[in-house]
Amino acid sequence: MFQQGLSGLNAASKSLDVIGNNIANASTVGFKSSQAQFADLYANSLNGVSGNNPGIGVTVSKLAQQFTQGNIESSSNPLDVAINGGGFFRLVVNGAVQYSRNGQFHEDKTHTLVNAQGAQLTGYLANTAGVIQLGAPVPLTLDKSDLTPVQTTEANFQLNLSSAEKVPTTIPFDANDPTSYNKQTVLDVYDSLGTAHIMTTYYVKTDANTWDVYAAADNKEILSASVAAAVNTDPAVVAARLEYNNAVRAVPPDTAAVATAAANYAGAARDAMRGAAVTAGATDAQLAAIDSAFTALDPSGSGSITGKTPDQINALLGAATTVPAVKIGTLLFTKNGALDSQAMALMNPPQTLPFQVKLPIFPDTGAQEPMTVSTTFDKTTQYGSVTNDLGSKQNGYSAGSWQRYSIDENGVILGQYSNGKSRAMGQIAMANFASVDGLTPLGNNAWSESAASGPPTIGVPNAGAMGQLRASSVETSNTDLTAELVNMITAQRVYQANAQTIKTQDSVLQTLVNLR
């Protein structure tokens, strides 16, 4: 008798529950609103014909979640990530896999990206070279250790050498005399420990379409610097330095012994530099300059030097050490202004790019030496316009400490470091399903797969059915408050109408009971 009205009340009540839940989660990030879907009920007749059956009410057939896109709003957290399009974040909680659209993440104490409930975001980690290692998704525990230095092994100098330049009047080339060359370029390079050095190249026009190239390391022509750097490996100098270090550490201190050890070191360093200079073809005047610098350390010839460390002695002797410069190569140009590699190969000796430039390290930093830099001149030209450096670059960098994150639209997490470099630390994984309507809601903005949803398809953002990611953003709830309030009024009227049918049926039944 009252079946239809009661089922209508239950249905309207369930609809109000759904509407109330949608409204309650209007501010929940990543929330997807639901909709109560109803179906009518009929009782089967004994003879299988029910066309004249008025029906026995209504039932809730499904509570369907609406996986429509929510609005994307900016946030101040760089680890907040919004999905613009299809797909879900893949999370792990105590070994169980969940899926969510809520991208509010932060680091836990192990540098793992987690949400407010402690669910771990999964993805693909990068190796020390910054290469993403694809495979099975794992929790994104990010390595925030310092970025190790990379030694410079390649450099490219791109410039235009003006065809209108004249051959310098000052000969031979002297790195300290700007009138002996036409152009100078400077580039920072890095040794194996990440210490920066200055690599300078000099360009000397010797004829039409012909340019000799010289180089310097830390403002000293490389052959002269190599002569000065002989102290880094000479056995006598190494032994003298050890003697000085032992004298400095002696207890009680003996200033006379330290002064004697310094003088012995200066003599060994002078001999090493002078011997290397002779081998390099130094002139008598250049050898005399080394001797004068040594004499200035101990003018009286007392055999003791006070107030000078081995590094200071090296600097004074090295500043006085010069030898005739040797070019690192010759560049030839065609009549159209391009590098003429064929003509260069026919020179004696043949000139082949890249030039292998061996940069000495002086003073000694403890790094590998010399630094061999393959030097190219890609896109270098000789046109009539002014001589100009068009951009030089190299592949090394110093050590750097982690400073901040950034996440791109493909879900790649980039670590930015104090040396200005960035390195991929990992990539966020995403999942999608053949039927998102079949997902099982778990609460806490999470779902799990079910037989109705089908197995997940795992991939990376911005590929296939996966949406793009936006960092420092969140996807808001897709609840439409205006529509929900209107639906609430409708559900209320439906509830009142069904209550009225029960009241009317009760009145009819009361009339029937009162019949005599």
Side-chain angles (χ1 to χ4, degrees), residues 194-229:
T195 302
H197 301 273
I198 300 173
M199 179 180 181
T200 308
T201 54
Y202 304 87
Y203 303 87
V204 181
K205 187 172 184 178
T206 58
D207 203 349
N209 301 332
T210 306
W211 296 76
D212 286 342
V213 183
Y214 295 83
D218 293 323
N219 300 316
K220 194 173 185 66
E221 189 274 327
I222 57 173
L223 191 57
S224 295
S226 296
V227 169

mmCIF file of all heavy atoms in Angstrom, residues 194-229:
data_model
loop_
_atom_site.group_PDB
_atom_site.id
_atom_site.type_symbol
_atom_site.label_atom_id
_atom_site.label_comp_id
_atom_site.label_asym_id
_atom_site.label_seq_id
_atom_site.Cartn_x
_atom_site.Cartn_y
_atom_site.Cartn_z
ATOM 1 N N GLY A 194 86.160 20.964 -9.818
ATOM 2 C CA GLY A 194 85.158 22.015 -9.958
ATOM 3 C C GLY A 194 85.694 23.411 -9.763
ATOM 4 O O GLY A 194 84.917 24.367 -9.704
ATOM 5 N N THR A 195 87.012 23.575 -9.683
ATOM 6 C CA THR A 195 87.597 24.909 -9.556
ATOM 7 C C THR A 195 87.575 25.601 -10.920
ATOM 8 O O THR A 195 87.960 25.008 -11.925
ATOM 9 C CB THR A 195 89.039 24.826 -9.045
ATOM 10 O OG1 THR A 195 89.050 24.142 -7.780
ATOM 11 C CG2 THR A 195 89.637 26.213 -8.868
ATOM 12 N N ALA A 196 87.139 26.840 -10.925
ATOM 13 C CA ALA A 196 87.036 27.586 -12.187
ATOM 14 C C ALA A 196 88.400 28.108 -12.610
ATOM 15 O O ALA A 196 89.201 28.561 -11.781
ATOM 16 C CB ALA A 196 86.060 28.739 -12.034
ATOM 17 N N HIS A 197 88.658 28.023 -13.890
ATOM 18 C CA HIS A 197 89.862 28.589 -14.488
ATOM 19 C C HIS A 197 89.455 29.411 -15.704
ATOM 20 O O HIS A 197 88.377 29.205 -16.266
ATOM 21 C CB HIS A 197 90.841 27.487 -14.904
ATOM 22 C CG HIS A 197 91.289 26.619 -13.771
ATOM 23 N ND1 HIS A 197 92.363 26.926 -12.968
ATOM 24 C CD2 HIS A 197 90.788 25.452 -13.293
ATOM 25 C CE1 HIS A 197 92.521 25.987 -12.056
ATOM 26 N NE2 HIS A 197 91.567 25.076 -12.228
ATOM 27 N N ILE A 198 90.316 30.317 -16.100
ATOM 28 C CA ILE A 198 90.027 31.176 -17.255
ATOM 29 C C ILE A 198 90.786 30.634 -18.464
ATOM 30 O O ILE A 198 92.019 30.560 -18.452
ATOM 31 C CB ILE A 198 90.434 32.627 -16.977
ATOM 32 C CG1 ILE A 198 89.670 33.181 -15.776
ATOM 33 C CG2 ILE A 198 90.172 33.485 -18.207
ATOM 34 C CD1 ILE A 198 90.135 34.556 -15.340
ATOM 35 N N MET A 199 90.034 30.245 -19.485
ATOM 36 C CA MET A 199 90.631 29.838 -20.756
ATOM 37 C C MET A 199 90.492 31.003 -21.723
ATOM 38 O O MET A 199 89.381 31.437 -22.024
ATOM 39 C CB MET A 199 89.945 28.594 -21.311
ATOM 40 C CG MET A 199 90.508 28.128 -22.650
ATOM 41 S SD MET A 199 89.652 26.640 -23.257
ATOM 42 C CE MET A 199 90.559 26.349 -24.785
ATOM 43 N N THR A 200 91.617 31.496 -22.191
ATOM 44 C CA THR A 200 91.618 32.633 -23.102
ATOM 45 C C THR A 200 92.161 32.184 -24.451
ATOM 46 O O THR A 200 93.135 31.432 -24.518
ATOM 47 C CB THR A 200 92.492 33.768 -22.560
ATOM 48 O OG1 THR A 200 92.118 34.068 -21.213
ATOM 49 C CG2 THR A 200 92.344 35.021 -23.404
ATOM 50 N N THR A 201 91.503 32.601 -25.501
ATOM 51 C CA THR A 201 92.019 32.338 -26.846
ATOM 52 C C THR A 201 92.342 33.665 -27.530
ATOM 53 O O THR A 201 91.636 34.665 -27.347
ATOM 54 C CB THR A 201 91.005 31.550 -27.705
ATOM 55 O OG1 THR A 201 89.740 32.221 -27.712
ATOM 56 C CG2 THR A 201 90.825 30.137 -27.173
ATOM 57 N N TYR A 202 93.413 33.650 -28.309
ATOM 58 C CA TYR A 202 93.878 34.843 -29.017
ATOM 59 C C TYR A 202 93.924 34.515 -30.516
ATOM 60 O O TYR A 202 94.306 33.407 -30.910
ATOM 61 C CB TYR A 202 95.282 35.249 -28.562
ATOM 62 C CG TYR A 202 95.406 35.490 -27.072
ATOM 63 C CD1 TYR A 202 95.684 34.428 -26.211
ATOM 64 C CD2 TYR A 202 95.265 36.754 -26.527
ATOM 65 C CE1 TYR A 202 95.817 34.631 -24.841
ATOM 66 C CE2 TYR A 202 95.392 36.973 -25.158
ATOM 67 C CZ TYR A 202 95.660 35.899 -24.318
ATOM 68 O OH TYR A 202 95.792 36.105 -22.980
ATOM 69 N N TYR A 203 93.550 35.487 -31.329
ATOM 70 C CA TYR A 203 93.475 35.275 -32.772
ATOM 71 C C TYR A 203 94.378 36.288 -33.461
ATOM 72 O O TYR A 203 94.232 37.508 -33.272
ATOM 73 C CB TYR A 203 92.035 35.413 -33.251
ATOM 74 C CG TYR A 203 91.122 34.441 -32.516
ATOM 75 C CD1 TYR A 203 90.536 34.797 -31.300
ATOM 76 C CD2 TYR A 203 90.895 33.174 -33.015
ATOM 77 C CE1 TYR A 203 89.738 33.910 -30.605
ATOM 78 C CE2 TYR A 203 90.089 32.272 -32.325
ATOM 79 C CZ TYR A 203 89.518 32.646 -31.120
ATOM 80 O OH TYR A 203 88.732 31.759 -30.441
ATOM 81 N N VAL A 204 95.310 35.762 -34.249
ATOM 82 C CA VAL A 204 96.312 36.591 -34.913
ATOM 83 C C VAL A 204 96.178 36.371 -36.412
ATOM 84 O O VAL A 204 96.385 35.252 -36.914
ATOM 85 C CB VAL A 204 97.738 36.237 -34.460
ATOM 86 C CG1 VAL A 204 98.755 37.128 -35.156
ATOM 87 C CG2 VAL A 204 97.855 36.352 -32.938
ATOM 88 N N LYS A 205 95.825 37.421 -37.153
ATOM 89 C CA LYS A 205 95.741 37.315 -38.601
ATOM 90 C C LYS A 205 97.148 37.342 -39.184
ATOM 91 O O LYS A 205 97.939 38.248 -38.918
ATOM 92 C CB LYS A 205 94.910 38.457 -39.174
ATOM 93 C CG LYS A 205 94.641 38.305 -40.666
ATOM 94 C CD LYS A 205 93.656 39.342 -41.175
ATOM 95 C CE LYS A 205 93.329 39.112 -42.650
ATOM 96 N NZ LYS A 205 92.334 40.077 -43.157
ATOM 97 N N THR A 206 97.459 36.319 -40.005
ATOM 98 C CA THR A 206 98.793 36.240 -40.599
ATOM 99 C C THR A 206 98.762 36.439 -42.110
ATOM 100 O O THR A 206 99.800 36.725 -42.718
ATOM 101 C CB THR A 206 99.438 34.873 -40.298
ATOM 102 O OG1 THR A 206 98.600 33.829 -40.814
ATOM 103 C CG2 THR A 206 99.619 34.678 -38.804
ATOM 104 N N ASP A 207 97.588 36.293 -42.716
ATOM 105 C CA ASP A 207 97.447 36.474 -44.164
ATOM 106 C C ASP A 207 95.950 36.499 -44.472
ATOM 107 O O ASP A 207 95.127 36.256 -43.576
ATOM 108 C CB ASP A 207 98.142 35.340 -44.923
ATOM 109 C CG ASP A 207 98.513 35.734 -46.359
ATOM 110 O OD1 ASP A 207 98.044 36.811 -46.808
ATOM 111 O OD2 ASP A 207 99.252 34.986 -47.012
ATOM 112 N N ALA A 208 95.604 36.749 -45.719
ATOM 113 C CA ALA A 208 94.190 36.722 -46.093
ATOM 114 C C ALA A 208 93.607 35.339 -45.815
ATOM 115 O O ALA A 208 94.208 34.321 -46.198
ATOM 116 C CB ALA A 208 94.040 37.077 -47.578
ATOM 117 N N ASN A 209 92.490 35.308 -45.115
ATOM 118 C CA ASN A 209 91.782 34.076 -44.783
ATOM 119 C C ASN A 209 92.558 33.149 -43.845
ATOM 120 O O ASN A 209 92.203 31.981 -43.707
ATOM 121 C CB ASN A 209 91.407 33.279 -46.044
ATOM 122 C CG ASN A 209 90.532 34.067 -46.994
ATOM 123 O OD1 ASN A 209 89.785 34.942 -46.574
ATOM 124 N ND2 ASN A 209 90.640 33.774 -48.289
ATOM 125 N N THR A 210 93.598 33.643 -43.196
ATOM 126 C CA THR A 210 94.456 32.801 -42.359
ATOM 127 C C THR A 210 94.613 33.433 -40.978
ATOM 128 O O THR A 210 95.017 34.601 -40.868
ATOM 129 C CB THR A 210 95.845 32.609 -43.007
ATOM 130 O OG1 THR A 210 95.674 32.116 -44.343
ATOM 131 C CG2 THR A 210 96.674 31.618 -42.204
ATOM 132 N N TRP A 211 94.314 32.642 -39.949
ATOM 133 C CA TRP A 211 94.393 33.128 -38.573
ATOM 134 C C TRP A 211 95.074 32.071 -37.702
ATOM 135 O O TRP A 211 94.671 30.916 -37.684
ATOM 136 C CB TRP A 211 92.988 33.391 -38.004
ATOM 137 C CG TRP A 211 92.236 34.476 -38.708
ATOM 138 C CD1 TRP A 211 91.627 34.409 -39.923
ATOM 139 C CD2 TRP A 211 92.017 35.798 -38.223
ATOM 140 N NE1 TRP A 211 91.031 35.598 -40.237
ATOM 141 C CE2 TRP A 211 91.243 36.484 -39.206
ATOM 142 C CE3 TRP A 211 92.376 36.490 -37.062
ATOM 143 C CZ2 TRP A 211 90.838 37.800 -39.058
ATOM 144 C CZ3 TRP A 211 91.977 37.805 -36.905
ATOM 145 C CH2 TRP A 211 91.222 38.451 -37.902
ATOM 146 N N ASP A 212 96.106 32.507 -36.973
ATOM 147 C CA ASP A 212 96.717 31.638 -35.961
ATOM 148 C C ASP A 212 95.978 31.810 -34.641
ATOM 149 O O ASP A 212 95.527 32.923 -34.307
ATOM 150 C CB ASP A 212 98.195 31.987 -35.762
ATOM 151 C CG ASP A 212 99.065 31.505 -36.914
ATOM 152 O OD1 ASP A 212 98.588 30.627 -37.676
ATOM 153 O OD2 ASP A 212 100.200 32.008 -37.046
ATOM 154 N N VAL A 213 95.858 30.707 -33.895
ATOM 155 C CA VAL A 213 95.136 30.724 -32.625
ATOM 156 C C VAL A 213 96.106 30.346 -31.506
ATOM 157 O O VAL A 213 96.813 29.329 -31.595
ATOM 158 C CB VAL A 213 93.944 29.743 -32.637
ATOM 159 C CG1 VAL A 213 93.165 29.831 -31.321
ATOM 160 C CG2 VAL A 213 93.031 30.021 -33.823
ATOM 161 N N TYR A 214 96.134 31.170 -30.465
ATOM 162 C CA TYR A 214 96.932 30.904 -29.269
ATOM 163 C C TYR A 214 95.985 30.783 -28.082
ATOM 164 O O TYR A 214 94.819 31.170 -28.165
ATOM 165 C CB TYR A 214 97.938 32.037 -29.022
ATOM 166 C CG TYR A 214 98.996 32.171 -30.091
ATOM 167 C CD1 TYR A 214 98.738 32.875 -31.269
ATOM 168 C CD2 TYR A 214 100.248 31.611 -29.925
ATOM 169 C CE1 TYR A 214 99.704 33.008 -32.259
ATOM 170 C CE2 TYR A 214 101.234 31.738 -30.918
ATOM 171 C CZ TYR A 214 100.949 32.433 -32.069
ATOM 172 O OH TYR A 214 101.902 32.549 -33.041
ATOM 173 N N ALA A 215 96.479 30.254 -26.970
ATOM 174 C CA ALA A 215 95.628 30.071 -25.787
ATOM 175 C C ALA A 215 96.408 30.408 -24.526
ATOM 176 O O ALA A 215 97.648 30.357 -24.498
ATOM 177 C CB ALA A 215 95.102 28.639 -25.718
ATOM 178 N N ALA A 216 95.647 30.744 -23.483
ATOM 179 C CA ALA A 216 96.217 31.026 -22.170
ATOM 180 C C ALA A 216 95.352 30.381 -21.106
ATOM 181 O O ALA A 216 94.151 30.167 -21.311
ATOM 182 C CB ALA A 216 96.320 32.532 -21.936
ATOM 183 N N ALA A 217 95.968 30.040 -19.987
ATOM 184 C CA ALA A 217 95.253 29.479 -18.839
ATOM 185 C C ALA A 217 95.461 30.408 -17.655
ATOM 186 O O ALA A 217 96.608 30.697 -17.279
ATOM 187 C CB ALA A 217 95.753 28.075 -18.506
ATOM 188 N N ASP A 218 94.364 30.891 -17.108
ATOM 189 C CA ASP A 218 94.412 31.820 -15.974
ATOM 190 C C ASP A 218 95.324 33.006 -16.279
ATOM 191 O O ASP A 218 96.218 33.359 -15.497
ATOM 192 C CB ASP A 218 94.855 31.095 -14.700
ATOM 193 C CG ASP A 218 93.823 30.087 -14.224
ATOM 194 O OD1 ASP A 218 92.627 30.370 -14.347
ATOM 195 O OD2 ASP A 218 94.230 29.006 -13.752
ATOM 196 N N ASN A 219 95.078 33.588 -17.468
ATOM 197 C CA ASN A 219 95.759 34.809 -17.911
ATOM 198 C C ASN A 219 97.251 34.627 -18.163
ATOM 199 O O ASN A 219 98.003 35.612 -18.191
ATOM 200 C CB ASN A 219 95.545 35.948 -16.905
ATOM 201 C CG ASN A 219 94.070 36.272 -16.742
ATOM 202 O OD1 ASN A 219 93.337 36.357 -17.721
ATOM 203 N ND2 ASN A 219 93.645 36.444 -15.499
ATOM 204 N N LYS A 220 97.697 33.375 -18.354
ATOM 205 C CA LYS A 220 99.096 33.122 -18.683
ATOM 206 C C LYS A 220 99.137 32.186 -19.880
ATOM 207 O O LYS A 220 98.481 31.142 -19.885
ATOM 208 C CB LYS A 220 99.830 32.492 -17.488
ATOM 209 C CG LYS A 220 101.343 32.498 -17.626
ATOM 210 C CD LYS A 220 101.989 32.029 -16.329
ATOM 211 C CE LYS A 220 103.507 32.148 -16.379
ATOM 212 N NZ LYS A 220 103.974 33.546 -16.459
ATOM 213 N N GLU A 221 99.914 32.570 -20.907
ATOM 214 C CA GLU A 221 100.005 31.751 -22.116
ATOM 215 C C GLU A 221 100.324 30.308 -21.726
ATOM 216 O O GLU A 221 101.131 30.055 -20.817
ATOM 217 C CB GLU A 221 101.078 32.330 -23.034
ATOM 218 C CG GLU A 221 101.137 31.720 -24.419
ATOM 219 C CD GLU A 221 101.982 30.468 -24.476
ATOM 220 O OE1 GLU A 221 102.980 30.400 -23.717
ATOM 221 O OE2 GLU A 221 101.654 29.575 -25.272
ATOM 222 N N ILE A 222 99.668 29.319 -22.398
ATOM 223 C CA ILE A 222 99.666 27.944 -21.871
ATOM 224 C C ILE A 222 101.065 27.320 -21.819
ATOM 225 O O ILE A 222 101.344 26.544 -20.897
ATOM 226 C CB ILE A 222 98.710 27.032 -22.660
ATOM 227 C CG1 ILE A 222 99.058 27.004 -24.150
ATOM 228 C CG2 ILE A 222 97.278 27.449 -22.445
ATOM 229 C CD1 ILE A 222 98.246 25.973 -24.920
ATOM 230 N N LEU A 223 101.961 27.639 -22.743
ATOM 231 C CA LEU A 223 103.293 27.046 -22.669
ATOM 232 C C LEU A 223 104.071 27.628 -21.494
ATOM 233 O O LEU A 223 104.747 26.900 -20.756
ATOM 234 C CB LEU A 223 104.045 27.267 -23.981
ATOM 235 C CG LEU A 223 105.344 26.471 -24.118
ATOM 236 C CD1 LEU A 223 105.071 24.976 -23.971
ATOM 237 C CD2 LEU A 223 106.012 26.747 -25.469
ATOM 238 N N SER A 224 103.954 28.938 -21.290
ATOM 239 C CA SER A 224 104.612 29.561 -20.129
ATOM 240 C C SER A 224 104.004 29.037 -18.829
ATOM 241 O O SER A 224 104.718 28.787 -17.847
ATOM 242 C CB SER A 224 104.467 31.078 -20.206
ATOM 243 O OG SER A 224 105.158 31.594 -21.328
ATOM 244 N N ALA A 225 102.675 28.838 -18.820
ATOM 245 C CA ALA A 225 102.023 28.297 -17.626
ATOM 246 C C ALA A 225 102.468 26.866 -17.377
ATOM 247 O O ALA A 225 102.626 26.441 -16.219
ATOM 248 C CB ALA A 225 100.502 28.369 -17.793
ATOM 249 N N SER A 226 102.693 26.088 -18.444
ATOM 250 C CA SER A 226 103.158 24.709 -18.282
ATOM 251 C C SER A 226 104.554 24.674 -17.665
ATOM 252 O O SER A 226 104.866 23.806 -16.845
ATOM 253 C CB SER A 226 103.179 24.008 -19.648
ATOM 254 O OG SER A 226 101.880 23.905 -20.174
ATOM 255 N N VAL A 227 105.391 25.627 -18.072
ATOM 256 C CA VAL A 227 106.738 25.718 -17.493
ATOM 257 C C VAL A 227 106.651 26.029 -16.000
ATOM 258 O O VAL A 227 107.326 25.408 -15.175
ATOM 259 C CB VAL A 227 107.563 26.783 -18.238
ATOM 260 C CG1 VAL A 227 108.863 27.087 -17.496
ATOM 261 C CG2 VAL A 227 107.853 26.315 -19.656
ATOM 262 N N ALA A 228 105.800 26.989 -15.635
ATOM 263 C CA ALA A 228 105.634 27.328 -14.218
ATOM 264 C C ALA A 228 105.052 26.158 -13.430
ATOM 265 O O ALA A 228 105.414 25.925 -12.275
ATOM 266 C CB ALA A 228 104.744 28.556 -14.081
ATOM 267 N N ALA A 229 104.144 25.394 -14.093
ATOM 268 C CA ALA A 229 103.490 24.276 -13.406
ATOM 269 C C ALA A 229 104.399 23.078 -13.225
ATOM 270 O O ALA A 229 103.984 22.074 -12.635
ATOM 271 C CB ALA A 229 102.234 23.870 -14.177
#
